[in-house]
């Protein structure tokens, strides 16, 4: 197992795991105000855990699972790195550290330092970023004690530049002395004096003090920092781009959110964005991503600058661009993504795994299908996956499912690498991995080992799933796509207690997920006797999904034309029904019912106008129909029986119609199973006229997004739907996009002939 888990150090993960860098700083006094408490209700930022994070390893043993769960629950808002990082870019070919193997770095990651690797790749970055390894004149302990003594003695006579100089010198003391300095009363007095004189500091002094705060490890929630943020806000328009980026970078390094400063900074950039150099642009995108805020108008301008510099951008910078836009929830245009894809494809073997994952995130976010990029990714990913932390593996897998890209080599490598280290997974990782395999409808060669290890991990992490109920539902739906139904977990997920928990704790609306899970278990597990969704929630889920499906299909001209032609061919709208046979599967169908003679039955009561019901009844006693209704029915019969000419574009010769138009009881099989939405048909026709259908057809007009990319393999949800339709006795008739869309340019006769063959001869 040790060999399996061995990771390259550059590809390791590191995480923030404690609230502050140094526990001793909690004793810093500032006018008797605890500096480590949250100030004015400020939420801790995703990155606020540490300035200089210690490397933290996830514990792999089963006996430590409780500890892992406790950590995950205690820090629910913490942002972990989304991929393993190359600490030294492969562009720096001479780096010995980049090739060093260290078993202690297994599953270790640093969500603070790893995104900053790009700052080491150009000397220009040093002009506007903070470098903690920047050399400074060391200060001895005795010299530091002397400065603190002078602060106390000369407190009323200290000039602003002297105060700034004292901060800089104290920050140059040995790191082990910093907690002692921070806890001293003299340092608290120096902080008080700096705030008192803050109006007198010029920009260089303010920046040097902020640098000192970073070196000393001032807690991000210290009250004094609020005053400094306000002062920097007032100074924005007096600073250069270099200074502004440096200040933003220092705030980032302190782990403090400064939305007011950034808002003014971004306003400044809206006027000066054309002056940004390449290094300034990349650094700015990094800052925007870490702050999780990017004004749309500014982001559009930055996108144009990316195109301006695209030929000068290196591989790691491409990853930084993608991560910054991804974290700020800002899309890049398809053109820019294709240029980035082309750039990476030219030398993907030298792209760090961290940058690779970040670029994949943006392809996932923009849904751009760069074929060459994905092909090359499929070639290098299987070799890199054993060297990635599970969170990086999760993001690679999730990108594949979002892009519908099924590469068996990649998926097999993921499945092989996970069971030995499944304990490293968070609840989110388990959920996304199961969802991805289920979505791609792929079972690896070691499916039993793979799924059993992940299902067992779900049981071990139940306290964490209680904190994030959406993750449990994602797990169970992914398993259902793959035909795995852990009834104990399903019973828990559908219990009133968990549903109430999901509604209270989750920031997502989970009714659709609960409804899909409930409908699936009702069909696939007939012997299941556990918890089920209440009728109220079932009805709510039905309405939500039907409104979405109807709006989607009615906006597609190819679907509307198919529906119209089928109505024409069959004899009218009463012979076909557009509805969700299985509402929980989130897509609609066109249902057709055939009698024992393979003739369509007019079962759709909703399509028969009230005034036409009498005419349909009179038909059985020989009363003549109107010409319009007769022509409509004759058109349908001619196409339906293929006994003569099918109508052409210019006219048709109708054949004799049969005298039998029975309407069966019309309700979906899903409604029979669950008792929802039963369509009451009694009273429409005499009982003698009703007839049980011999064949029930579910006609589906598919599109490419229901299949794996470039293939005819259905995705998990749609494959599950067909499986369940077959269980309920339906025959699925597919109007595939590769057949139907080209026919839209052909004659009406050809389209009718195609539909006739599909309905009456395909697989019957």
């Amino acid at each position: 197992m040790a060999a399996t888990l061995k990771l390259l150090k550059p590809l390791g993960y590191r995480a923030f795991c404690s609230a502050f860098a140094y526990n001793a700083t909690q004793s810093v006094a500032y006018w008797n105000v605890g500096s480590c408490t949250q100030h004015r209700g400020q939420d801790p930022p995703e990155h606020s855990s540490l300035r200089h994070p210690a490397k933290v390893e996830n514990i792999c043993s089963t006996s430590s699972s409780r500890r892992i769960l406790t950590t995950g629950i205690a820090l629910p808002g913490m942002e972990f790195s989304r991929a393993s990082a190359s600490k030294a870019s492969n562009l720096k070919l001479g780096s010995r550290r980049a090739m060093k193997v260290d078993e202690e770095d297994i599953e270790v990651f640093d969500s603070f330092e790893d995104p900053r690797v790009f700052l080491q790749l150009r000397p220009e970055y040093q002009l506007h970023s903070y470098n903690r390894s920047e050399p400074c004149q060391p200060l001895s302990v005795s010299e530091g004690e002397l400065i603190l003594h002078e602060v106390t003695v000369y407190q009323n006579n200290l000039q602003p530049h002297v105060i700034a100089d004292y901060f800089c010198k104290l920050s140059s003391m040995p790191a082990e002395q910093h907690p002692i300095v921070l806890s001293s009363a003299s340092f608290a007095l120096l902080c008080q004096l700096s705030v008192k004189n803050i109006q007198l500091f010029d920009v260089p002094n303010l920046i040097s003090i902020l640098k000192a705060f970073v070196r000393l490890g001032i807690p991000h929630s210290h009250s004094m920092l609020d005053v400094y943020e306000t002062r920097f806000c007032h100074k924005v328009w007096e600073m250069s781009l270099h200074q502004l980026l440096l200040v933003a970078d220092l705030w980032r390094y302190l782990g403090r959110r400064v939305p007011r400063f950034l808002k003014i900074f971004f306003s400044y950039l809206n006027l000066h964005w054309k002056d940004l150099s390449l290094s300034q642009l990349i650094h700015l995108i990094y800052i925007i991503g870490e702050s999780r805020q990017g004004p749309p108008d500014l982001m559009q301008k930055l996108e144009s600058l990316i195109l301006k510099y695209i030929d000068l951008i290196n591989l790691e910078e491409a990853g930084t661009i993608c991560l910054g836009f991804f974290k700020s929830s800002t899309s890049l245009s398809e053109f820019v993504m294709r240029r980035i894809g082309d750039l990476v494809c030219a030398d993907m073997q030298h792209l760090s795994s961290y940058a690779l994952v970040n670029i994949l995130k943006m392809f996932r976010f923009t849904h751009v299908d760069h074929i060459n990029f994905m092909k090359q990714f499929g070639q290098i990913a299987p070799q890199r996956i054993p060297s990635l932390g599970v969170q990086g593996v999760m993001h690679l897998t999730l990108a594949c499912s979002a892009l519908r890209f099924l590469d068996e080599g990649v998926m097999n490598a993921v499945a092989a690498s996970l069971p030995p280290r499944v304990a490293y997974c968070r609840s989110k990782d388990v959920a996304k991995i199961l969802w991805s395999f289920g979505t791609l409808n792929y079972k690896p060669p070691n499916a039993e080992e793979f799924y059993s290890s992940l299902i067992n991990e779900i049981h071990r992490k139940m306290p964490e799933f209680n904190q994030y109920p959406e993750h449990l539902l994602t797990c169970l739906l992914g398993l259902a796509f793959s035909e795995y139904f852990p009834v104990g977990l399903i019973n828990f997920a559908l219990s009133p207690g968990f549903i109430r928990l999901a509604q209270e704790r989750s920031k997502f609306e989970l009714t659709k997920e609960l409804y899909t899970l409930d409908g699936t278990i009702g069909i696939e597990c007939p012997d299941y006797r556990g918890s089920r969704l209440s009728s109220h929630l079932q009805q709510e889920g039905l309405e939500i999904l039907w409104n979405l499906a109807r709006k989607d299909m009615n906006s597609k001209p190819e679907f509307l034309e198919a529906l119209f032609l089928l109505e024409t061919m069959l004899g009218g709208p009463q012979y076909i029904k557009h509805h969700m046979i299985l509402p929980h599967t989130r897509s609609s169908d066109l249902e057709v019912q055939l009698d024992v003679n393979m003739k369509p039955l007019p079962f759709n009561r909703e399509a028969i106008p009230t005034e036409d019901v009498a005419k349909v009844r009179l038909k059985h006693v020989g009363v003549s129909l109107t010409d319009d209704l007769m022509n409509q029915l004759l058109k349908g019969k001619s196409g339906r029986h293929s006994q003569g000419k099918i109508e052409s574009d210019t006219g048709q010769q109708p054949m004799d119609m049969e005298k039998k138009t029975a309407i069966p009881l019309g309700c979906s099989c899903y409604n029979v199973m669950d008792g929802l939405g039963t369509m009451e048909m009694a009273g429409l026709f005499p009982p003698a006229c009703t007839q049980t259908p011999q064949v029930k057809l579910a006609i589906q007009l598919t599109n490419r997004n229901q299949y794996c990319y470039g293939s005819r393999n259905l995705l998990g949800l749609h494959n599950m739907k067909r499986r369940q339709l077959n269980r309920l006795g339906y025959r699925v008739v597919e109007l595939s996009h590769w057949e139907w869309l080209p026919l839209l340019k052909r004659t009406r006769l050809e389209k009718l002939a195609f539909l006739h063959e599909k309905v009456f001869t395909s697989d019957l």
Side-chain angles (χ1 to χ4, degrees), residues 173-280:
M173 292 179 66
E176 61 271 15
Q177 293 297 318
H178 289 174
I180 300 174
V181 171
L182 293 177
S183 62
S184 70
S186 296
F187 183 79
L189 177 60
L190 183 62
C191 292
Q192 182 180 1
L193 292 173
S194 75
V195 171
K196 181 179 178 180
N197 292 277
I198 198 166
Q199 300 289 338
L200 304 177
F201 292 127
D202 58 17
V203 170
N205 283 336
L206 288 169
I207 293 176
S208 65
I209 292 174
L210 196 59
K211 274 188 179 181
F213 290 165
V214 171
R215 293 195 191 101
L216 286 166
I218 298 291
H220 70 85
S221 57
H222 198 295
S223 307
M224 172 179 59
L225 297 180
D226 205 30
V227 180
Y228 274 87
E229 180 189 355
T230 300
R231 188 57 184 163
F232 275 111
C233 288
H234 294 157
K235 289 289 186 179
V236 165
W237 297 92
E238 300 177 23
M239 290 191 279
S240 67
L241 280 171
H242 277 349
Q243 290 174 326
L244 287 166
L245 286 168
L246 176 57
V247 170
D249 201 53
L250 289 167
W251 285 121
R252 163 62 184 149
Y253 223 92
L254 274 170
R256 182 180 177 88
R257 286 182 175 176
V258 283
R260 291 178 294 152
F261 172 77
L262 290 177
K263 183 177 180 181
I264 301 172
F265 181 22
F266 295 156
S267 298
Y268 174 94
L269 286 168
N270 267 315
L271 298 178
H272 298 88
W273 63 277
K274 291 184 179 179
D275 300 330
L276 288 167
S277 66
L278 172 58
S279 64
Q280 290 173 336

Side-chain angles (χ1 to χ4, degrees), residues 469-537:
E470 64 274 10
H471 293 165
L472 179 58
L473 295 179
T474 301
C475 286
L476 295 177
L477 290 176
L479 287 168
F481 296 164
S482 302
E483 297 186 82
Y484 287 89
F485 303 97
V487 292
L489 293 173
I490 293 171
N491 179 53
F492 174 75
L494 294 177
S495 65
F498 182 82
I499 292 173
R500 183 168 56 253
L501 185 75
Q503 293 172 332
E504 292 173 354
R505 290 189 178 178
S506 179
K507 61 182 178 179
F508 303 101
E509 170 54 56
L510 299 177
T511 303
K512 299 190 298 295
E513 286 69 27
L514 289 165
Y515 184 59
T516 298
L517 181 62
D518 181 75
T520 294
I521 198 70
I523 295 175
E524 305 247 19
C525 302
D527 297 328
Y528 173 77
R529 295 295 180 267
S531 302
R532 295 295 300 272
L533 214 57
S534 68
S535 58
H536 170 73
L537 281 177

Side-chain angles (χ1 to χ4, degrees), residues 1-5 60-61 106-107 390 413-424 446 449-450 453:
M1 181 178 294
T4 304
L5 296 179
C60 187
S61 66
I106 294 174
E107 298 298 334
V390 291
V414 171
S417 72
L418 277 178
R421 48 183 179 150
V422 69
Y424 292 120
N446 65 330
E449 177 194 21
F450 173 71
S453 65

Side-chain angles (χ1 to χ4, degrees), residues 180-411:
I180 300 174
V181 171
L182 293 177
S183 62
S184 70
S186 296
F187 183 79
L189 177 60
L190 183 62
C191 292
Q192 182 180 1
L193 292 173
S194 75
V195 171
K196 181 179 178 180
N197 292 277
I198 198 166
Q199 300 289 338
L200 304 177
F201 292 127
D202 58 17
V203 170
N205 283 336
L206 288 169
I207 293 176
S208 65
I209 292 174
L210 196 59
K211 274 188 179 181
F213 290 165
V214 171
R215 293 195 191 101
L216 286 166
I218 298 291
H220 70 85
S221 57
H222 198 295
S223 307
M224 172 179 59
L225 297 180
D226 205 30
V227 180
Y228 274 87
E229 180 189 355
T230 300
R231 188 57 184 163
F232 275 111
C233 288
H234 294 157
K235 289 289 186 179
V236 165
W237 297 92
E238 300 177 23
M239 290 191 279
S240 67
L241 280 171
H242 277 349
Q243 290 174 326
L244 287 166
L245 286 168
L246 176 57
V247 170
D249 201 53
L250 289 167
W251 285 121
R252 163 62 184 149
Y253 223 92
L254 274 170
R256 182 180 177 88
R257 286 182 175 176
V258 283
R260 291 178 294 152
F261 172 77
L262 290 177
K263 183 177 180 181
I264 301 172
F265 181 22
F266 295 156
S267 298
Y268 174 94
L269 286 168
N270 267 315
L271 298 178
H272 298 88
W273 63 277
K274 291 184 179 179
D275 300 330
L276 288 167
S277 66
L278 172 58
S279 64
Q280 290 173 336
L281 171 66
I282 305 299
H283 193 190
L284 173 62
I285 292 173
Y286 158 77
I287 289 170
I288 288 173
E290 296 306 305
S291 67
R292 306 303 197 273
Q293 60 183 101
D297 53 343
L298 176 61
M299 301 305 285
Q300 289 182 1
K301 294 171 182 176
L302 298 185
E303 183 174 337
S304 66
L305 283 180
I306 293 172
L307 284 175
K308 174 183 175 182
Y309 293 121
I310 191 68
D311 293 328
L312 302 175
I313 292 171
N314 62 45
L315 297 177
E316 301 306 305
E317 289 170 335
T320 301
I321 290 171
C322 289
L323 183 61
F325 273 76
F326 178 84
K327 284 186 173 182
S328 64
S329 300
T330 307
S331 184
L332 284 167
S333 67
E334 179 179 348
F335 181 74
V336 171
M337 287 306 302
R338 293 199 179 281
R339 289 296 303 274
I340 290 176
D342 293 341
L343 170 70
V344 174
C345 286
D347 196 20
M348 189 180 288
Q349 61 182 349
H350 290 133
L351 178 70
S352 72
S353 295
Y354 180 71
L356 173 63
V357 171
N358 292 332
I359 293 170
L360 276 169
K361 287 180 186 178
M362 204 59 200
F363 274 119
R364 181 184 101 207
F365 186 72
T366 57
H367 289 281
V368 173
D369 53 343
H370 195 296
I371 299 175
N372 191 27
F373 178 91
M374 295 308 295
K375 285 182 178 179
Q376 290 197 36
F377 161 74
Q379 293 171 1
I380 69 169
Q383 290 75 39
R384 296 200 183 192
I385 284 170
S387 307
L388 287 175
V390 291
Q391 294 180 35
V393 173
M394 179 272 288
H395 281 290
L396 291 182
T397 312
L398 185 60
C400 288
S401 68
L403 295 170
R404 302 178 291 109
F405 178 74
L406 175 58
D407 185 293
E408 294 188 5
V410 174
M411 303 304 287

Side-chain angles (χ1 to χ4, degrees), residues 533-693:
L533 214 57
S534 68
S535 58
H536 170 73
L537 281 177
Q538 286 183 351
Q539 186 62 34
E540 184 179 332
L542 170 64
E543 292 173 358
I544 293 173
L545 293 175
W546 170 236
N547 289 334
L548 292 173
R550 179 172 54 186
K551 182 179 179 180
D552 176 56
M553 297 307 292
N554 287 343
S555 66
K556 296 180 178 179
E558 65 272 20
F559 169 79
L560 296 175
E561 181 162 4
L563 176 58
F564 172 75
L565 290 173
L566 283 168
E567 288 178 351
T568 301
M569 182 187 76
L570 295 172
Q574 64 268 35
Y575 292 92
I576 188 169
K577 184 176 183 179
H578 174 214
H579 68 135
M580 301 173 79
I581 300 174
L582 301 177
H584 64 278
T585 57
R586 308 188 182 196
S587 58
S588 60
D589 311 272
L590 296 173
E591 182 174 358
V592 171
Q593 297 184 1
L594 305 178
D595 64 14
V596 292
N597 297 314
M598 296 296 105
K599 297 175 183 177
L601 296 170
F603 71 101
N604 186 6
R605 175 201 176 210
E606 296 174 355
I608 304 176
T610 304
E611 60 271 18
D612 288 345
V613 173
K615 298 176 182 178
V616 176
R617 287 176 174 170
L618 289 173
K619 171 182 174 293
H620 293 283
V621 294
V623 178
S624 299
L625 302 174
T626 64
D627 290 341
D628 289 341
L629 185 57
M630 179 70 78
N631 286 336
Q632 187 183 42
L633 292 172
L634 289 177
K635 287 180 184 179
K637 296 298 178 180
S638 65
R640 189 161 63 248
H641 300 297
S642 298
Q643 297 173 355
K645 297 180 180 178
I646 298 178
E647 67 172 356
S648 66
D649 293 332
T650 57
Q652 70 285 331
Q653 181 64 40
M655 298 184 65
D656 293 337
M657 64 175 288
E658 302 207 15
K659 303 291 184 179
K660 188 176 184 180
T661 54
I663 296 183
L665 191 66
C667 64
S668 72
C669 285
Y670 176 81
N671 292 335
V672 172
M673 294 292 298
D674 291 292
L676 285 177
T678 301
M679 303 299 298
E680 191 64 47
M681 297 296 289
L684 262 185
F685 297 95
C689 296
T690 61
Q691 181 177 340
T692 302

Side-chain angles (χ1 to χ4, degrees), residues 15-22 44-54 75 77-80 111-112 219-220 252-256:
F16 303 144
C17 199
S18 65
F20 306 103
Y22 305 103
E46 289 87 348
H47 52 265
S48 66
S49 308
L50 287 179
R51 294 165 21 266
H52 305 303
L75 302 172
M78 188 167 294
E79 176 65 23
F80 290 89
S111 61
F112 187 92
H220 70 85
R252 163 62 184 149
Y253 223 92
L254 274 170
R256 182 180 177 88

